[in-house]
Amino acid sequence: MNNVSLIGRLTADPELKHSQSGIAFVRFSIAVDRNFVKQGEERQADFINIVAWRQTAEFVCKYFGKGNRIAITGQIRTGSYTDKDGNKRYTFEVQADNVEFCESKRDSNNNSGGYQNNYQNSYSDSYHQQPSHQEAATPANTYSSGDTGDFVDMPDDEDLPF
């Protein structure tokens, strides 16, 4: 079974790209804190490469930026290639199948700055939609039962309501 779940912070703003066949994708890295901290030392982090495709890639690029906390579930992908000097190189990345928010928009605006700065110098270099994203996009008048009088229409400013 090849399943991975990660929670971390983006190390840079994601940039949407398209394959030669026109499929949207994004490659980005997240900093994932290690659980154990030795006394007197700073917390260590692992930097994990992620790739997302199609709607998941578009979702990441639209709603996430450097320093934002993100939850990812997906699968580990490995590969290898020979570099220009003839050395065999190995690759490791997580293919994101599902991406979710880990903090409110207000929290990401207030708390990400210090966290970003901690990892800024350390970093060197799909079809799945989010249930919360789909629910947020569902208008109130689509409920099949109950009174919709309690619902208030929100302005469509292409921003999430939290």
Side-chain angles (χ1 to χ4, degrees):
M1 183 181 311
N2 183 356
N3 291 319
V4 64
S5 297
L6 300 167
I7 296 178
R9 293 193 184 267
L10 274 75
T11 61
D13 288 331
E15 184 178 325
L16 189 66
K17 297 181 180 182
H18 290 84
S19 68
Q20 291 178 348
S21 59
I23 298 172
F25 73 96
V26 63
R27 291 186 188 280
F28 58 96
S29 293
I30 61 172
V32 179
D33 282 334
R34 293 183 182 170
N35 289 336
F36 182 75
V37 180
K38 290 183 182 178
Q39 189 172 1
E41 292 185 11
E42 290 187 32
R43 181 175 297 276
Q44 298 293 311
D46 293 302
F47 296 87
I48 311 292
N49 294 325
I50 313 290
V51 63
W53 296 89
R54 298 176 176 83
Q55 292 94 341
T56 304
E58 292 169 358
F59 181 74
V60 168
C61 291
K62 185 172 181 177
Y63 294 110
F64 291 92
K66 181 178 179 178
N68 289 144
R69 198 160 179 229
I70 188 171
I72 296 170
T73 57
Q75 301 171 3
I76 295 173
R77 298 283 187 229
T78 60
S80 64
Y81 65 95
T82 304
D83 68 13
K84 63 181 178 180
D85 298 326
N87 299 317
K88 190 160 189 165
R89 302 288 181 178
Y90 297 93
T91 61
F92 171 94
E93 66 186 4
V94 173
Q95 180 177 317
D97 294 326
N98 192 11
V99 175
E100 297 182 21
F101 295 100
C102 287
E103 60 192 354
S104 70
K105 185 174 179 180
R106 177 182 51 231
D107 291 342
S108 68
N109 289 337
N110 291 337
N111 296 333
S112 64
Y115 204 96
Q116 285 171 232
N117 293 335
N118 289 344
Y119 296 117
Q120 185 173 9
N121 296 328
S122 301
Y123 180 66
S124 61
D125 154 282
S126 276
Y127 286 97
H128 299 286
Q129 288 279 347
Q130 309 315 317
S132 59
H133 176 63
Q134 290 171 346
E135 291 168 9
T138 304
N141 60 4
T142 62
Y143 288 97
S144 60
S145 63
D147 182 14
T148 59
D150 292 340
F151 293 97
V152 177
D153 286 336
M154 300 204 46
D156 184 18
D157 60 354
E158 294 190 7
D159 201 359
L160 295 176
F162 53 86

